[in-house]
């Protein structure tokens, strides 16, 4: 380390790496604010498109501004033919996050101004990527099931279009409302791992596509965005509410497994997004007449929250816990949960990239060397 270096906590816990105007995550009180607005208010009243505008412009849109954004997003909900062709050429066994990461990277090849990092070009790329990511996710679902892609409809909202392109059936209002709330709730979240990686990539003066590809790769991990899929797999493994205590004692108490969708680096109280998503999950479970998974999740939360270790370590459900139930009851395939998270986070990542460009300095921390020293070089035959 250099003379002035200061050792940070493992995992950079509690290290403030910069400033942002986009969101405030208060982990002690369990509060989340986007550009001054409480997440609960936005989830209740705002559409995803309004939140996109808020993140990119720092204020809520007036009606005409919102209409323009909607039209602009809608107009970009298609892919270059070569990218769509590749989706249909990929092996059907490819995982959706790997497909998304590859396809987003591919989009750069068909953008002649991919390396133009001016504010105008980056705003255009932010809009195009935000519009095209749901097309990729939905098209891959169609492709791997041997079906034709479904074009977006101009009369549909962002949330409606995602469901439409994915399933090819007219989305029910309640389904679209749950997806809309999910997209709003997950669109931005301070200096989480994927946002940080997008900002690191940007800080090297690399382009928006590279930053988004980095972010998608980081989101994929089970400790981050991949936890929603893992939470649902865990619910399946447990099987029924009656088996919760046995499973918890067998695997969690013996440290063989973690409760996926619980715990958070910043929240040491209930994740405010989890509270909203719990209600959405319950609503969807009632609407579909299937309370089985919701009841199981509630039971596991109760068991975990009574456990002395969980109490002491302040482990609560995070955003991925009840969202898994909500998305499952909506009929979203389990391995598409994390791609849907990526769809939601795209405007947040892009807003951070714009913020990084506005006041950039290379992000390059130091590391303490603890390896051997002063070894003597030996020719290969003498080692
Ligand atoms: N189940 C059981 N124990 C847990 C859990 C959990 N879900 N989460 C943390 N712990 C325990 C750890 O075992 C550790 O105990 P120890 O100190 O006795 O060894 C202690 O709590 C602290 O855990 P860390 O991993 O050091 O905490 P960190 O802040 O690094 O991790 C993380 C946060 C990765 C989210 C963690 O809580 C976890 O693995 N959760 C499950 C995966 C998950 O839900 N991820 C999604 C997070 S939200 C998001 O990214 C969108």
């Amino acid at each position: 380390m250099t003379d002035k270096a200061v050792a940070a906590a493992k995992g950079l816990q509690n290290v403030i790496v910069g400033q942002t105007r986009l969101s405030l995550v208060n982990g002690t009180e369990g509060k989340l604010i986007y550009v001054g607005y409480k997440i609960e208010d936005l989830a209740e009243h705002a559409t995803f498109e309004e939140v996109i505008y808020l993140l990119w412009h720092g204020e809520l849109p007036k009606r005409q501004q919102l209409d323009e954004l909607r039209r602009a997003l809608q107009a970009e909900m298609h892919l270059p033919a070569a990218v769509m062709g590749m989706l249909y050429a990929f092996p059907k066994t490819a995982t959706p996050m790997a497909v998304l990461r590859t396809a987003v990277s591919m989009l750069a090849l068909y953008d002649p101004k991919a390396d133009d990092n001016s504010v105008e070009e980056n705003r255009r790329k932010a809009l195009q990527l935000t519009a095209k990511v749901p097309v990729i996710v939905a098209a891959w679902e169609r492709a791997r099931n041997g079906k034709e892609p479904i074009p977006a409809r101009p009369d549909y909202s962002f949330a409606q279009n995602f469901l439409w392109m994915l399933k090819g059936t007219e989305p029910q209002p309640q389904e679209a409302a749950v997806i809309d709330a999910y997209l709003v709730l997950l669109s931005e979240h301070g200096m989480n791992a994927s946002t940080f990686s997008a900002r690191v990539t940007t800080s090297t003066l690399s382009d928006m596509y590279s930053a988004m590809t980095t972010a998608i790769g980081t989101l994929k991990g089970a400790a981050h965005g991949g936890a929603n899929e893992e939470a649902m797999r865990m619910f399946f493994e447990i099987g029924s509410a009656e088996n919760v205590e046995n499973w918890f004692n067998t695997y969690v108490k013996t440290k063989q497994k973690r409760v996926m969708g619980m715990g958070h680096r910043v929240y040491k109280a209930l994740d405010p997004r989890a509270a909203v998503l719990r209600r959405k999950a319950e609503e969807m479970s009632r609407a579909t007449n299937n309370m089985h998974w919701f009841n199981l999740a509630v039971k596991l939360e109760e068991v975990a929250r009574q456990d002395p270790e969980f109490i002491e370590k302040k482990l609560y459900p995070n955003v991925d816990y009840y969202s898994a139930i909500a998305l499952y009851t909506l009929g979203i395939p389990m391995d598409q949960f994390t791609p849907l998270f990526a769809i939601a986070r795209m405007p947040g990542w892009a807003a951070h990239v714009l913020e990084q460009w506005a006041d950039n300095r290379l992000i390059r921390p130091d590391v303490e060397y603890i390896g051997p020293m002063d070894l003597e070089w030996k020719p290969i035959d003498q080692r």
Side-chain angles (χ1 to χ4, degrees):
M1 286 199 290
T2 57
D3 291 349
K4 285 189 214 150
V6 182
K10 194 173 175 192
L12 298 183
Q13 180 157 18
N14 292 330
V15 175
I16 294 176
V17 295
Q19 296 181 320
T20 183
R21 293 182 166 277
L22 297 169
S23 64
L24 169 69
V25 185
N26 180 332
T28 326
E29 294 172 31
K31 288 186 180 156
L32 173 59
I33 286 161
Y34 294 172
V35 202
Y37 294 95
K38 284 196 209 80
I39 195 67
E40 291 83 357
D41 287 344
L42 294 172
E44 181 72 23
H45 304 294
T47 60
F48 185 49
E49 290 91 325
E50 278 175 293
V51 171
I52 295 174
Y53 192 98
L54 176 67
L55 293 172
W56 291 352
H57 298 276
E59 58 185 13
L60 286 171
K62 298 191 189 340
R63 186 163 298 283
Q64 192 197 337
Q65 292 165 326
L66 181 60
D67 289 346
E68 276 170 22
L69 176 65
R70 280 208 177 117
R71 274 197 294 276
L73 284 166
Q74 214 292 321
E76 289 298 335
M77 282 192 173
H78 55 81
L79 300 177
V83 176
M84 185 63 92
M86 279 307 291
L87 290 177
Y88 279 78
F90 287 152
K92 302 278 177 274
T93 49
T95 59
M97 278 302 275
V99 168
L100 180 61
R101 188 190 58 216
T102 307
V104 164
S105 182
M106 252 191 105
L107 285 176
L109 312 182
Y110 300 92
D111 182 346
K113 294 204 166 171
D115 288 318
D116 181 338
N117 290 308
S118 62
V119 179
E120 303 71 49
E121 284 302 315
N122 273 343
R123 283 186 173 274
R124 173 187 61 79
K125 285 177 244 171
L127 182 117
Q128 291 187 343
L129 278 159
T130 299
K132 292 185 191 309
V133 161
V135 183
I136 295 169
V137 173
W140 173 243
E141 190 57 34
R142 309 285 304 171
R144 70 173 171 175
N145 287 301
K147 295 178 181 166
E148 291 294 310
I150 298 171
R153 274 176 49 166
D155 52 326
Y156 276 167
S157 71
F158 195 102
Q160 285 173 314
N161 255 322
F162 171 67
L163 286 168
W164 165 248
M165 291 186 289
L166 187 81
K167 298 183 181 183
T169 51
E170 201 175 321
Q172 297 305 305
Q174 189 181 20
E175 287 180 323
V178 171
I179 291 290
D180 214 357
Y182 176 86
L183 295 173
V184 166
L185 286 165
L186 278 90
S187 55
E188 161 58 15
H189 204 238
M191 198 47 61
N192 59 85
S194 53
T195 298
F196 182 55
S197 64
R199 287 189 84 133
V200 171
T201 301
T202 303
S203 83
T204 70
L205 311 182
S206 189
D207 67 292
M208 175 79 83
Y209 293 97
S210 299
M212 294 301 135
T213 307
T214 309
I216 292 168
T218 308
L219 185 75
K220 180 172 176 283
H224 189 16
N228 50 13
E229 177 183 343
E230 293 303 325
M232 200 63 225
R233 295 200 187 284
M234 172 188 73
F235 296 140
F236 268 100
E237 181 185 297
I238 298 170
S240 68
E242 292 71 47
N243 197 31
V244 161
E245 274 178 289
N246 180 35
W247 182 87
F248 189 83
N249 290 330
T250 308
Y251 295 110
V252 183
K253 292 307 288 173
T254 56
K255 311 262 179 227
Q256 292 179 65
K257 290 183 184 179
R258 290 186 171 199
V259 179
M260 299 312 284
M262 281 201 194
H264 198 274
R265 173 59 64 79
V266 181
Y267 291 120
K268 302 303 168 196
L270 182 65
D271 181 334
R273 303 166 299 176
V276 179
L277 284 162
R278 179 179 161 146
R279 286 197 296 279
K280 300 287 172 202
E282 185 170 10
E283 282 164 26
M284 275 312 300
S285 301
R286 284 199 195 290
T288 52
N289 233 344
N290 178 5
M291 297 301 288
H292 180 82
W293 301 109
F294 180 76
N295 289 341
L296 189 162
V298 169
K299 176 75 181 169
L300 179 58
E301 181 186 357
E302 277 169 17
V303 169
R305 288 299 311 138
Q306 283 164 15
D307 181 76
E309 264 186 80
F310 272 61
I311 295 170
E312 194 205 322
K313 291 174 187 167
K314 300 190 167 82
L315 302 172
Y316 294 82
N318 61 47
V319 70
D320 290 326
Y321 192 79
Y322 284 107
S323 66
I325 307 284
L327 299 182
Y328 185 76
T329 46
L330 273 167
I332 309 289
M334 263 190 281
D335 60 0
Q336 292 281 24
F337 291 1
T338 312
L340 184 53
F341 191 157
I343 293 173
R345 189 55 59 82
M346 191 56 71
W349 287 331
H352 276 274
V353 168
L354 292 165
E355 216 179 35
Q356 186 67 33
W357 272 108
D359 184 21
N360 186 44
R361 190 174 183 219
L362 175 70
I363 300 172
R364 200 296 190 194
D366 215 333
V367 68
E368 185 184 2
Y369 177 71
I370 55 164
M373 294 285 283
D374 302 327
L375 299 181
E376 193 188 331
W377 168 260
K378 288 185 187 141
I380 195 157
D381 295 333
Q382 295 170 28
R383 290 175 206 163

